[in-house]
Amino acid sequence: MTNYVQPNDSLTGDLDDQRQEHLQLLLWVSAPLAFMLFALDLNNNLHGISASVCLFGAVAAAAILRQFRANNAAIWVYIFGILLIPVAQANLYGPSLHTAVLVLLPVILCSLLRDRDAVVLTAAATILAVGAMVALQSNFVTAVNFLLLPGLICVVLTMVIYVTEGNVMEMVHWAMDVQGK
C-alpha cells in the first residue's frame, strides 16, 4: 500500500477550480428545487424546521458567500446545510426510510466539493447528528437500530471514496513525475 502524497500548488488550484464549478452547478440545480419544496411546505402548513428550509438556507447562504468570493466558506455552508436535511427529517418524522436514504446525501455531495478527509468528517458528523436527533425523538436503542444499516452503507461509501480519491491522486502524481523526467 502506498502513501497518499499531497498535491502540488498547480494541481491544488485545478482541483479548487473544479470544486467551484461543481458548487455552482449544484447551486443552480438546488435553488429551484429548494424554492419549490419550500412553497409546498408552506402550502401544507408544515410545523417545525423542514428539510426544504435547510436546503433553501444552504443554497442562499452559499450563493451569498460565493458573491463575496468566500469560496471555501460557501462550500462548507452548503455541505452543512445539506447535512441538516436528514437531521430535520428525523426531527419532523422520526426514524423513516426517507431519513435513512438522506443520510447518504451529505457524503455524496461532499465528495464532489471537498477532499477525501472532509468526506470522512462529513460522514461522521452526519451519522452522529442524525443519531442524536433520533435518540432525542425516541431513545438510544431505537437510534442505534435505525442507523445500523444507513450508517454501515455511509461508512462503506466513505471508505470507497477515500481509497478511490487516494489512488487517483497517486496516479496523477506518478503521471506528473513521468512527464517531468
mmCIF file of all heavy atoms in Angstrom, residues 58 75-85:
data_model
loop_
_atom_site.group_PDB
_atom_site.id
_atom_site.type_symbol
_atom_site.label_atom_id
_atom_site.label_comp_id
_atom_site.label_asym_id
_atom_site.label_seq_id
_atom_site.Cartn_x
_atom_site.Cartn_y
_atom_site.Cartn_z
ATOM 1 N N ALA A 58 -29.200 26.772 2.919
ATOM 2 C CA ALA A 58 -27.866 26.406 2.444
ATOM 3 C C ALA A 58 -27.574 27.012 1.078
ATOM 4 O O ALA A 58 -26.487 27.545 0.837
ATOM 5 C CB ALA A 58 -27.725 24.888 2.387
ATOM 6 N N ILE A 75 -18.651 26.528 0.199
ATOM 7 C CA ILE A 75 -18.713 25.068 0.100
ATOM 8 C C ILE A 75 -19.096 24.464 1.436
ATOM 9 O O ILE A 75 -19.977 23.604 1.517
ATOM 10 C CB ILE A 75 -17.372 24.498 -0.404
ATOM 11 C CG1 ILE A 75 -17.195 24.816 -1.894
ATOM 12 C CG2 ILE A 75 -17.293 22.996 -0.169
ATOM 13 C CD1 ILE A 75 -15.856 24.425 -2.460
ATOM 14 N N TRP A 76 -18.455 24.912 2.506
ATOM 15 C CA TRP A 76 -18.752 24.341 3.827
ATOM 16 C C TRP A 76 -20.164 24.674 4.290
ATOM 17 O O TRP A 76 -20.830 23.840 4.913
ATOM 18 C CB TRP A 76 -17.716 24.781 4.858
ATOM 19 C CG TRP A 76 -16.464 23.977 4.745
ATOM 20 C CD1 TRP A 76 -15.232 24.418 4.367
ATOM 21 C CD2 TRP A 76 -16.309 22.573 4.995
ATOM 22 N NE1 TRP A 76 -14.336 23.382 4.352
ATOM 23 C CE2 TRP A 76 -14.973 22.240 4.739
ATOM 24 C CE3 TRP A 76 -17.182 21.568 5.392
ATOM 25 C CZ2 TRP A 76 -14.484 20.941 4.878
ATOM 26 C CZ3 TRP A 76 -16.697 20.268 5.537
ATOM 27 C CH2 TRP A 76 -15.357 19.976 5.286
ATOM 28 N N VAL A 77 -20.645 25.861 3.997
ATOM 29 C CA VAL A 77 -22.016 26.218 4.369
ATOM 30 C C VAL A 77 -23.008 25.342 3.609
ATOM 31 O O VAL A 77 -23.997 24.867 4.178
ATOM 32 C CB VAL A 77 -22.274 27.723 4.114
ATOM 33 C CG1 VAL A 77 -23.753 28.046 4.111
ATOM 34 C CG2 VAL A 77 -21.549 28.557 5.147
ATOM 35 N N TYR A 78 -22.752 25.122 2.343
ATOM 36 C CA TYR A 78 -23.626 24.260 1.546
ATOM 37 C C TYR A 78 -23.632 22.832 2.108
ATOM 38 O O TYR A 78 -24.695 22.229 2.286
ATOM 39 C CB TYR A 78 -23.176 24.265 0.078
ATOM 40 C CG TYR A 78 -24.091 23.495 -0.824
ATOM 41 C CD1 TYR A 78 -25.302 24.041 -1.242
ATOM 42 C CD2 TYR A 78 -23.765 22.222 -1.267
ATOM 43 C CE1 TYR A 78 -26.161 23.335 -2.076
ATOM 44 C CE2 TYR A 78 -24.610 21.512 -2.096
ATOM 45 C CZ TYR A 78 -25.804 22.061 -2.495
ATOM 46 O OH TYR A 78 -26.650 21.359 -3.313
ATOM 47 N N ILE A 79 -22.451 22.297 2.404
ATOM 48 C CA ILE A 79 -22.361 20.938 2.958
ATOM 49 C C ILE A 79 -23.082 20.866 4.303
ATOM 50 O O ILE A 79 -23.818 19.914 4.577
ATOM 51 C CB ILE A 79 -20.893 20.492 3.086
ATOM 52 C CG1 ILE A 79 -20.279 20.284 1.696
ATOM 53 C CG2 ILE A 79 -20.771 19.215 3.917
ATOM 54 C CD1 ILE A 79 -18.784 20.069 1.698
ATOM 55 N N PHE A 80 -22.888 21.876 5.152
ATOM 56 C CA PHE A 80 -23.548 21.886 6.461
ATOM 57 C C PHE A 80 -25.068 21.943 6.303
ATOM 58 O O PHE A 80 -25.798 21.248 7.010
ATOM 59 C CB PHE A 80 -23.044 23.060 7.310
ATOM 60 C CG PHE A 80 -23.628 23.085 8.687
ATOM 61 C CD1 PHE A 80 -23.219 22.172 9.640
ATOM 62 C CD2 PHE A 80 -24.594 24.013 9.023
ATOM 63 C CE1 PHE A 80 -23.763 22.176 10.911
ATOM 64 C CE2 PHE A 80 -25.146 24.033 10.291
ATOM 65 C CZ PHE A 80 -24.736 23.111 11.240
ATOM 66 N N GLY A 81 -25.544 22.746 5.372
ATOM 67 C CA GLY A 81 -26.984 22.815 5.126
ATOM 68 C C GLY A 81 -27.533 21.493 4.626
ATOM 69 O O GLY A 81 -28.625 21.065 5.034
ATOM 70 N N ILE A 82 -26.792 20.823 3.763
ATOM 71 C CA ILE A 82 -27.208 19.513 3.265
ATOM 72 C C ILE A 82 -27.169 18.491 4.399
ATOM 73 O O ILE A 82 -28.033 17.615 4.491
ATOM 74 C CB ILE A 82 -26.312 19.072 2.082
ATOM 75 C CG1 ILE A 82 -26.454 20.035 0.906
ATOM 76 C CG2 ILE A 82 -26.617 17.640 1.658
ATOM 77 C CD1 ILE A 82 -27.841 20.149 0.329
ATOM 78 N N LEU A 83 -26.199 18.620 5.300
ATOM 79 C CA LEU A 83 -26.110 17.731 6.458
ATOM 80 C C LEU A 83 -27.329 17.892 7.371
ATOM 81 O O LEU A 83 -27.780 16.940 8.001
ATOM 82 C CB LEU A 83 -24.828 18.022 7.234
ATOM 83 C CG LEU A 83 -24.461 17.124 8.390
ATOM 84 C CD1 LEU A 83 -22.947 17.016 8.476
ATOM 85 C CD2 LEU A 83 -24.995 17.621 9.702
ATOM 86 N N LEU A 84 -27.877 19.102 7.428
ATOM 87 C CA LEU A 84 -29.042 19.344 8.277
ATOM 88 C C LEU A 84 -30.343 18.760 7.715
ATOM 89 O O LEU A 84 -31.317 18.624 8.445
ATOM 90 C CB LEU A 84 -29.215 20.843 8.512
ATOM 91 C CG LEU A 84 -28.173 21.502 9.407
ATOM 92 C CD1 LEU A 84 -28.435 22.996 9.503
ATOM 93 C CD2 LEU A 84 -28.141 20.865 10.784
ATOM 94 N N ILE A 85 -30.360 18.414 6.435
ATOM 95 C CA ILE A 85 -31.580 17.872 5.823
ATOM 96 C C ILE A 85 -32.025 16.568 6.495
ATOM 97 O O ILE A 85 -33.172 16.465 6.927
ATOM 98 C CB ILE A 85 -31.415 17.719 4.293
ATOM 99 C CG1 ILE A 85 -31.356 19.104 3.650
ATOM 100 C CG2 ILE A 85 -32.545 16.891 3.694
ATOM 101 C CD1 ILE A 85 -31.036 19.079 2.173
#
